[in-house]
Amino acid sequence: MKMKLREVYSALKIQADSIADVEITGVCFDSRKAQKGDLFFPLQGQRDGHEFINSAIENGVSATIWQSDHDIPNDKIPYVVVKNVSNAFETLAKYYLGKVNPRVIAVTGSNGKTTTKDMIAKILSTNNNVAKTPQNFNNEIGVPFTILNMPTNTEVLVVEMGMDRPGQIDHLSSIANPDISVITMIGEAHIEFFGTRDKIADAKMEIVVHLQEDGRFVFNGDEPLLLERAKKVNQEKLTFGNQDSNTLYATQISPGKTSTKFKTNLWPELDFEIPMMGEYNVNNALAALLVGKVSHIQPEAMQKALSNLFVTQNRTEWMKAKNGADILSDVYNSNPTAAIEVLNSLKEIKTAGRKLIVLGDMLELGDASKRLHESLFEHISPDDFEKVYLIGDYMKFLKDKLSDKYDSSNLFWYEKDQLADLTTDLKKELKPDDTVLLKGSHGIHLENVLHDLI
Ligand SMILES: CC(=O)N[C@H]1[C@@H](OP(=O)(O)OP(=O)(O)OC[C@H]2O[C@@H](n3ccc(=O)[nH]c3=O)[C@H](O)[C@@H]2O)O[C@H](CO)[C@@H](O)[C@@H]1O[C@H](C)C(=O)N[C@@H](C)C(=O)N[C@H](CCC(=O)N[C@@H](CCC[C@@H](N)C(=O)O)C(=O)O)C(=O)O
Ligand SMILES: Nc1ncnc2c1ncn2[C@@H]1O[C@H](COP(=O)(O)OP(=O)(O)OP(=O)(O)O)[C@@H](O)[C@H]1O
Ligand SMILES: C[C@@H](N)C(=O)N[C@H](C)C(=O)O
């Protein structure tokens, strides 16, 4: 971002007697990450961001937003008084987006948003200046932050949009006005707040509400809930998935431990490869290839881009334990579809030693939680996984079912606050040629187990 403070006032439609002649070169909402030249937005979290304005000043911000219902600020640096900080954040983002005017690709879905966003950005970077959502910043804070931090020469902006309530994607896409809208798949993530997958699909479809007239809708054509709803979408539609009724589908898939190879119907002469395991990641790559296709990227360039991909960490990521064991870290989130996909992918992988699995609760599943945790039962067997470690209140349901398949020396359950005990037991058990999967919801924080193991 690069604009004079005067332009910020104008974008926010605020009059002022005098405006300091200051240049803004970025935005932040965490003083601890403030850069020189930033405009600080004191957002409301558990605490009020206004408490940290002085800290932001010390870290070199050029100006700060100030909510008018707070006491008059110190006058160390320029401040822009607004009625509501969050609204100002969005208003400035919309203004800046209009000014830079990149092509916008919006990505949502129950799973695969971050991976697909990274893949699309990599492919489009072959001949565009591309900016993308950092990490997983995909909500009403993350989207404005992504927009306001894109460089002024950005030609393509890839924006990840998350939600856990109806209306959120509609709101986010009203800020971004996408040229291409992508839905990766419909799972059960946050079903607690929807009740059914149908209602999740309705919420995900909000990503086309503000799609440009001449835009495109790219979605998972294997999902009947999307196929049905897409009939009402007037823009050009392109589908991806396993079925040969899709615009783009994989004709061959060769699963591997650290990479997955595949061929497609549209480019049968090309062998594609992604540096990650999981057939579900082929679907993410197919979505990205369709976006590349309609963005006129050559197939060979897309092939090269995908083979040189770096995906945001903690997503089906191989790591090494201190004792040499292989760790498959999938600790960012979990829900039934994601957990089943990664369990099935791990079954396909040949390993020197045993396979152990650590599964944390899958949160925000509401009334379906017991049933969905028990549903993992049919995907777990001693033929595939020697030892099973479960943690969290809901995983107790799965543990009770699995005791029909596993004896007590190979099946363990821990309360949510016994992460340290699980880690201790796992470290004692783990052998150098073992492979261990870590998979659980963000709220279970299996990353703490990972950090201790590595
Ligand atoms: C507002 C904020 O910054 N929240 C972050 C903050 O939370 P916390 O309440 O602890 O803030 P504090 O009380 O500590 O501080 C208040 C504010 O002051 C700032 N500040 C603090 C200390 C200091 O020294 N200087 C400061 O300036 C501070 O920055 C606050 O602004 O910290 C947490 C821990 O780091 C953050 O997690 C929290 O971030 C919130 C959750 C957030 O929304 N961050 C977005 C950038 C984001 O996109 N985060 C994503 C996760 C998004 C997500 O969960 N997506 C869901 C679906 C969407 C659901 C949606 N309804 C939602 O609620 O998000 C998904 O399934 O993907 C991410 O981090 O990955
Ligand atoms: N297409 C897919 N289908 C099913 N599961 C998937 C798919 N893509 C990724 N996953 C699973 O979801 C996990 C998270 O992937 P990713 O972060 O890309 O999804 P996300 O939608 O961004 O997640 P979040 O909602 O937490 O932001 C992966 O590690 C994998 O286990
Ligand atoms: C942070 C919250 N919206 C979320 O994403 N929760 C999921 C279920 C998780 O913890 O993985």
Side-chain angles (χ1 to χ4, degrees), residues 264-298:
T264 69
N265 61 314
L266 289 188
W267 304 289
E269 74 288 355
L270 289 183
D271 291 318
F272 289 93
E273 182 170 14
I274 49 176
M276 53 210 298
M277 66 171 273
E279 293 196 21
Y280 49 86
N281 279 314
V282 171
N283 264 352
N284 296 334
L286 293 176
L289 286 166
L290 280 178
V291 174
K293 178 180 186 298
V294 299
S295 305
H296 312 299
I297 309 290
Q298 289 305 309

Side-chain angles (χ1 to χ4, degrees), residues 163-164 189-190 193 332-334 362-364 440-444:
M163 65 95 200
D164 60 14
H190 313 298
F193 310 117
Y332 184 76
N333 78 358
S334 188
M362 301 178 290
L363 301 178
E364 302 184 8
S441 264
H442 210 48
I444 302 300

Side-chain angles (χ1 to χ4, degrees), residues 21-36:
D21 181 21
V22 166
E23 181 150 81
I24 304 296
T25 53
V27 300
C28 69
F29 58 85
D30 188 338
S31 64
R32 295 160 294 193
K33 297 170 187 157
Q35 306 279 327
K36 188 167 169 28

Side-chain angles (χ1 to χ4, degrees), residues 8 14 27 101 116 133 172 252 310 317 322 335 384 441:
V8 173
I14 299 172
V27 300
N101 194 30
T116 305
T133 296
L172 295 176
Q252 274 173 40
F310 285 100
E317 186 181 10
K322 280 176 259 194
N335 51 65
D384 299 302
S441 264

Side-chain angles (χ1 to χ4, degrees), residues 40 42-43 48-54 65-67 69-70 85:
F40 180 63
L43 294 174
D48 182 345
H50 287 79
E51 294 173 33
F52 307 102
I53 282 182
N54 285 334
I65 299 288
W66 193 282
Q67 193 154 295
D69 59 0
H70 286 60
V85 177

